[in-house]
Amino acid sequence: MIREKAAVRTAVDRAADELVGLSTALHARPETAWEEHHAAETVPELLDRRGFTVTPAYLGLETAFLARYGAGPLRIALCAEYDALPGLGHACGHNLIAASSVGAALGLAEVADAIGLTVEVYGTPAEEGGGGKIEMLDRGAFRDVDLAMMVHPAPVDVAEARPFAVSHSRISYGGRSAHAAAYPEDGVNAADAFTVAQVAIGLLRQQLPTSSRVHGIVTSAGSAPNAIPESSVGRWYVRAESLAELAAIEPKVLRCFEAGALATGCTLEVEAESKPYAEFRTDTRTLEHYRANALELGREFAPGGLAGRMNRASTDMGNVSQVVPAIHPYIGIGSLPATNHQREFAAHCIGAEAERALLDGAVALAWTAVDRAREGGRS
């Protein structure tokens, strides 16, 4: 497969300027979950020009797409994420994910017929809390795929993803407004309900597994200091090592929110923002291929510790990995001390180091698919 790998790298190098341009364009115009209309048009354009068959609004999702090339028996799926974070832009580097997946697909298109591949690029919206891949799975995406891959930016390179399972909830309290000075006894304070709930959650953490996480924000809780808030809204995440552990923890967290309602007399509404994200199931054989290919490109994998902890971040790619052999390695962009979900990290997602990671990620993913084809492909 030496010849095929050389052809892959040549193809990625040939497309380098276009891939960097794609990443830069996405970075300059960040769009949040389910609103990625520009990205969903821009990302598949390069694939369309290179002979891929593109299906926009894939499975009825306006900001999803599928691009396919070849007709070989081994189906390789490359996931292109492109949503950004509210208020922080591309502080998780999804612009680089999309461009790397497109680059890997262009490289594989050069050898697809020779080694028996069908190359598929899935444009996957709403990873940042919206569960886009879960919705796609429910509608039939990834069916009969042999391998799904993507590479995610991080401060340093880490090969194996070990994300938490996570649930996302919208919490709403309903109270009654009143003049805070003249008629305070007539009010039912919806802001206080969150205060009680957060104190309860803080105490609950002492009895939760050390690997679990409970965190969130209050997005609204009144509009005038002299009016008792009649409503409050927040968004809360609960994370655990697995969906099974998550199912055991969530009722305890819910009781904390119920405590807020009970103490204040408010009503409570809890609404799931998406189906829970699953823990990740790594295809170890494929990951070893990726690791070897990344090392050949001159990448260096970091030891454990703070810098490499991004591999614990939750992702709806975990749900894909439960039904399709998958890998989700992390590729470093030299951002330290900046880490994911910081404005400073977003600034590092363009520039020379980010461009190197983009192209290395594309080549490493494509080479990994070539290795799987050499082995006969199926797990």
Side-chain angles (χ1 to χ4, degrees):
M1 293 287 182
I2 295 176
R3 181 183 304 170
E4 287 80 3
K5 286 190 172 182
V8 162
R9 182 155 198 179
T10 297
V12 173
D13 288 345
R14 191 166 57 236
D17 289 345
E18 292 171 290
L19 295 170
V20 170
L22 171 61
S23 173
T24 303
L26 294 175
H27 190 275
R29 191 169 172 176
E31 298 168 300
T32 55
W34 303 118
E35 301 296 330
E36 315 96 329
H37 298 284
H38 173 257
E41 293 179 1
T42 304
V43 174
E45 282 179 354
L46 178 53
L47 296 166
D48 181 59
R49 292 199 304 269
R50 299 298 179 85
F52 282 71
T53 300
V54 175
T55 303
Y58 181 54
L59 299 172
L61 297 170
E62 286 189 11
T63 57
F65 72 83
L66 173 64
R68 180 181 282 126
Y69 187 97
L74 180 64
R75 290 178 57 193
I76 302 295
L78 296 156
C79 292
E81 297 175 0
Y82 33 69
D83 60 322
L85 288 156
L88 293 174
H90 276 292
C92 212
H94 290 193
N95 58 304
L96 295 169
I97 295 172
S100 288
S101 288
V102 170
L106 294 178
L108 289 174
E110 290 291 314
V111 299
D113 292 340
I115 62 176
L117 300 182
T118 297
V119 184
E120 300 177 354
V121 180
Y122 288 81
T124 62
E127 189 276 336
E128 295 287 358
K133 294 184 193 66
I134 304 172
E135 185 66 32
M136 293 174 74
L137 281 165
D138 288 347
R139 298 186 184 205
F142 302 99
R143 190 170 293 162
D144 298 323
V145 162
D146 295 295
L147 176 64
M149 299 187 294
M150 58 177 283
V151 64
H152 196 298
V156 295
D157 287 70
V158 178
E160 184 177 6
R162 295 181 54 237
F164 293 107
V166 64
S167 64
H168 313 92
S169 299
R170 183 181 188 272
I171 311 295
S172 304
Y173 287 108
R176 185 170 64 247
S177 64
H179 195 291
Y183 311 106
E185 69 276 13
D186 290 339
V188 177
N189 196 314
D192 285 352
F194 263 118
T195 300
V196 173
Q198 290 184 86
V199 170
I201 289 169
L203 294 171
L204 173 66
R205 288 190 179 102
Q206 299 173 91
Q207 276 69 55
L208 293 180
T210 56
S211 58
S212 63
R213 305 284 189 272
V214 184
H215 50 89
I217 58 171
V218 177
T219 57
S220 66
S223 55
N226 60 345
I228 290 173
E230 64 181 353
S231 65
S232 59
V233 180
R235 300 179 64 213
W236 242 259
Y237 290 6
V238 182
R239 303 183 198 256
E241 287 286 357
S242 66
L243 288 175
E245 185 177 271
L246 182 64
I249 292 172
E250 276 196 292
K252 299 178 181 180
V253 177
L254 176 60
R255 288 196 290 271
C256 294
F257 290 114
E258 291 172 342
L262 179 64
T264 59
C266 288
T267 61
L268 168 66
E269 182 178 351
V270 179
E271 178 185 359
E273 294 185 328
S274 74
K275 290 184 177 180
Y277 290 15
E279 67 273 22
F280 200 88
R281 181 182 297 167
T282 294
D283 188 80
T284 56
R285 181 177 60 170
T286 302
L287 186 64
E288 287 311 305
H289 288 313
Y290 174 86
R291 192 191 304 270
N293 288 322
L295 291 172
E296 186 173 341
L297 289 168
R299 310 299 306 184
E300 295 182 7
F301 291 102
L306 178 64
R309 202 182 293 167
M310 185 60 194
N311 75 326
R312 299 308 326 265
S314 306
T315 171
D316 57 4
M317 189 69 171
N319 299 70
V320 176
S321 78
Q322 298 297 315
V323 297
V324 174
I327 63 169
H328 185 284
Y330 293 84
I331 195 160
I333 61 170
S335 64
L336 289 175
T339 56
N340 298 65
H341 291 207
Q342 294 181 327
R343 295 183 187 279
E344 295 82 359
F345 189 87
H348 281 276
C349 287
I350 54 174
E353 194 67 23
E355 291 168 13
R356 180 196 166 208
L358 186 171
L359 299 175
D360 283 353
V363 172
L365 289 176
W367 281 359
T368 298
V370 172
D371 289 331
R372 288 298 302 271
R374 178 189 60 202
E375 293 182 344
R378 294 182 180 273
S379 294

